[in-house]
Amino acid sequence: MCVSIREKYPYLYETHLHTCESSACARSTGQEMARACKEYGYTGIFVTDHNWGGNTAIDRGLAWEDWVDAFGAGYEHAREEGSRIGLDVFFGYEAGYKGTEFLIYGVDTSWMKAHPQLRDATVEEQYNLVHEAGGLVVHAHPYREEYYIPEIRLYPDWVDGVEAVNATHSNSRSTAHNDPVFDDRAIAYARHHKLPMSAGSDIHGTRLFGGGIAFSRRLESASDYAKAILTGEDYVLTNGETWYDRYGEVICAGPW
């Protein structure tokens, strides 16, 4: 085990997590996900369900504000359970644009309600809207190849960071999207453009991989996380089996 990593960076966060209340592809509720992540040893989680442009479980025929209320259910249920059991739960979402996906942090459902143009926003417009709110845009799994991703599109000028380590790609227990080359390419892409790197499990059920980001301090909020990434704060990345520094260099192999 990477004991020295855990001692230096004891606060582990899952940054990419889905719930069945809001993501059509997920299998577990926000409450169930919160319990599983607490048991695993996470300090906190970011609920990043699929938005309007992605694999949402919410009826797109609803009025925008009603859609946002329904969309936030998975997060709210996770947050309520997290408050009860001592797990920090933060809001985020995964925005889809013609198969290309972005993880959005540092905003909330009230902000979403006030910006109905998010439904039709281009990648550039999305970036500007999120930045006006002080949020963070991370390109999710940029090199994943799947039937629902018609082509690989890269937007280095319209993201703040890159999900360089996605546990479904490189964790040996993953049964979907499993090709570590996707992560290798993402790390190289982030380095080339000098973009901050993140890591997450892209988890859809309670069979956890342990991926995420670990910090030396406890995060205060999703906005605090956005600031930490944007300002270059020290952290480490993991797919649940291998640990990397924030530049994508392997520093240790072993579980949390």
Side-chain angles (χ1 to χ4, degrees):
M1 295 180 65
C2 299
V3 177
S4 61
I5 296 295
R6 187 164 188 171
E7 290 175 348
K8 187 174 181 181
Y9 303 96
Y11 301 99
L12 179 64
Y13 295 87
E14 174 59 88
T15 68
H16 192 164
L17 176 150
H18 298 274
T19 73
C20 65
E21 287 105 325
S22 305
S23 294
C25 45
R27 300 176 297 279
S28 303
T29 66
Q31 184 183 62
E32 290 167 339
M33 296 302 292
R35 290 175 182 169
C37 288
K38 175 64 176 179
E39 183 177 345
Y40 184 88
Y42 284 103
T43 302
I45 61 175
F46 292 81
V47 177
T48 55
D49 280 312
H50 290 290
N51 83 329
W52 184 277
N55 197 17
T56 182
I58 312 303
D59 180 6
R60 292 182 180 86
L62 293 172
W64 176 245
E65 291 197 7
D66 294 334
W67 186 90
V68 174
D69 282 336
F71 173 75
Y75 159 72
E76 291 294 344
H77 295 158
R79 183 184 61 81
E80 290 167 3
E81 184 66 9
S83 295
R84 190 184 72 81
I85 63 178
L87 178 79
D88 294 338
V89 178
F90 303 127
F91 178 78
Y93 65 90
E94 187 167 16
Y97 179 75
K98 299 180 181 179
T100 302
E101 294 177 309
F102 305 88
L103 295 163
I104 310 297
Y105 307 97
V107 298
D108 57 21
T109 53
S110 295
W111 176 85
M112 291 182 74
K113 287 182 180 181
H115 295 85
Q117 64 267 47
L118 287 167
R119 286 175 291 188
D120 304 308
T122 66
V123 173
E124 179 180 353
E125 290 167 343
Q126 170 184 262
Y127 178 81
N128 289 332
L129 285 169
V130 173
H131 266 236
E132 288 172 3
L136 177 75
V137 180
V138 174
H139 193 153
H141 44 68
Y143 285 92
R144 177 180 292 174
E145 297 176 14
E146 279 292 354
Y147 70 93
Y148 62 86
I149 303 174
E151 62 180 305
I152 292 172
R153 304 182 186 93
L154 303 175
Y155 299 93
D157 295 327
W158 305 115
V159 299
D160 299 300
V162 174
E163 186 184 52
V165 178
N166 185 298
T168 63
H169 298 165
S170 51
N171 187 289
S172 64
R173 289 171 292 161
S174 174
T175 58
H177 320 306
N178 200 320
D179 190 338
V181 170
F182 300 156
D183 282 359
D184 294 341
R185 292 172 178 169
I187 290 171
Y189 170 60
R191 285 175 178 164
H192 178 74
H193 291 281
K194 296 181 172 58
L195 289 166
M197 301 184 196
S198 73
S201 294
D202 197 357
I203 201 75
H204 288 68
T206 56
R207 183 173 176 268
L208 305 184
F209 300 139
I213 299 182
F215 289 87
S216 60
R217 66 175 181 90
R218 193 169 195 142
L219 296 176
E220 298 176 3
S221 64
S223 294
D224 187 29
Y225 171 68
K227 182 179 179 181
I229 298 297
L230 291 169
T231 59
E233 186 170 323
D234 188 31
Y235 55 82
V236 290
L237 314 171
T238 185
N239 67 355
E241 294 176 333
T242 302
W243 292 83
Y244 307 77
D245 65 19
R246 63 191 181 95
Y247 303 106
E249 295 289 347
V250 174
I251 53 178
C252 186
W256 175 248

